[in-house]
Amino acid sequence: MPNYQAVLFDFFGTLTRPVQRGAAHLGTAELLGCHTDTLTEVLDRTYYERATGRLGNAEATLRWVCGQAGVHPSDHAVRAAVASRHRAVRADTRLRADAVPVLAALRQRGLCTGVISDCTHELPAFLPQLAVAPLLDVRVFSVQVGRCKPDPALYLTACGRLGLAPRDCLYVGDGGSQELTGAERAGMTAVRLAAPDLAEHMVFNADRDWRGPTLSTLRDVLDLVDAEVIGVGVG
């Protein structure tokens, strides 16, 4: 019978509502002198290269993206575009209504909480300003670790920072980046958030063959933890 000591969450689409690139991204393309469709295609195609952080800081990464898009903006334009992209990604990020209550309830139960996210430079910069920040014991970002899900390094980094074994941790995610398979391979119990609104979520490398347990709302995590049996209250 599982006896979890921590619940670790994916961020985008799990603690947040579905993410799509909003209108604010148009300003970034304009600053770079790049057609929006071209920039979007490059961003989609290079997501994992950028999310590892191996291309350098946010400015260096965006300059590399410009090279991929065939544009050569000035240093001033690149710096302005970095700030514009930060604002655009932040504008796309809307916490789920139950994110804060669920995290608070888990901590009241004596469990640790954390985020493991594939992301580029923007999320580590603005997450400290979000309402969930004080409720997270650990934050693991691919852009800082240098690996993306489903690489076990991300999950094991979170465990190491918490001083816990993977078997002590429950992982909750929407299934992007084959994160659920990755969590299981790392030794965690994994459960998929299958909220109806996720049909509108921008996702890469989805865990499409996942046949494990699912939750329909984030709040269902509390029932699962209280039951201490994976599969009770889970469809």
Side-chain angles (χ1 to χ4, degrees), residues 22-230:
H25 290 270
L26 295 173
T28 304
E30 291 174 357
L31 286 166
L32 297 174
C34 183
H35 193 282
T36 304
D37 290 345
T38 301
L39 181 60
T40 297
E41 185 277 327
V42 172
L43 290 175
D44 287 350
R45 172 167 53 82
T46 66
Y47 177 71
Y48 287 109
E49 290 173 274
R50 295 181 294 108
T52 62
R54 296 175 189 171
L55 299 172
N57 62 16
E59 186 173 327
T61 299
L62 193 55
R63 187 171 293 284
W64 180 87
V65 166
C66 289
Q68 296 290 307
V71 295
H72 305 283
S74 67
D75 290 345
H76 174 76
V78 171
R79 287 193 293 271
V82 167
S84 172
R85 177 166 165 75
H86 177 102
R87 291 191 296 270
V89 176
R90 175 66 185 89
D92 295 340
T93 304
R94 299 163 298 163
L95 292 174
R96 290 190 179 276
D98 48 2
V100 167
V102 167
L103 290 171
L106 289 170
R107 288 165 66 92
Q108 288 169 1
R109 286 162 167 77
L111 278 75
C112 297
T113 62
V115 157
I116 301 176
S117 178
D118 277 355
C119 62
T120 48
H121 293 281
E122 296 78 21
L123 179 59
F126 69 69
L127 189 143
Q129 283 77 56
L130 301 183
V132 294
L135 300 171
L136 298 170
D137 296 298
V138 64
R139 310 167 193 177
V140 176
F141 303 116
S142 65
V143 73
Q144 296 176 346
V145 176
R147 298 283 192 279
C148 288
K149 303 170 191 174
D151 193 300
L154 289 157
Y155 309 97
L156 298 180
T157 295
C159 291
R161 292 178 184 175
L162 292 172
L164 297 174
R167 65 178 177 274
D168 298 324
C169 302
L170 174 68
Y171 182 83
V172 183
D174 63 274
S177 300
Q178 296 189 24
E179 61 186 352
L180 306 173
T181 300
E184 282 199 333
R185 288 175 179 167
M188 296 179 178
T189 297
V191 61
R192 180 186 175 211
L193 177 65
D197 62 4
L198 286 169
E200 304 172 2
H201 184 50
M202 180 174 64
V203 63
F204 300 100
N205 194 25
D207 240 330
R208 301 197 185 280
D209 294 330
W210 176 255
R211 296 294 181 268
T214 64
L215 307 175
S216 58
T217 73
L218 199 59
R219 193 171 290 276
D220 290 342
V221 172
L222 301 178
D223 293 336
L224 192 157
V225 167
D226 289 342
E228 290 194 341
V229 180
I230 194 73

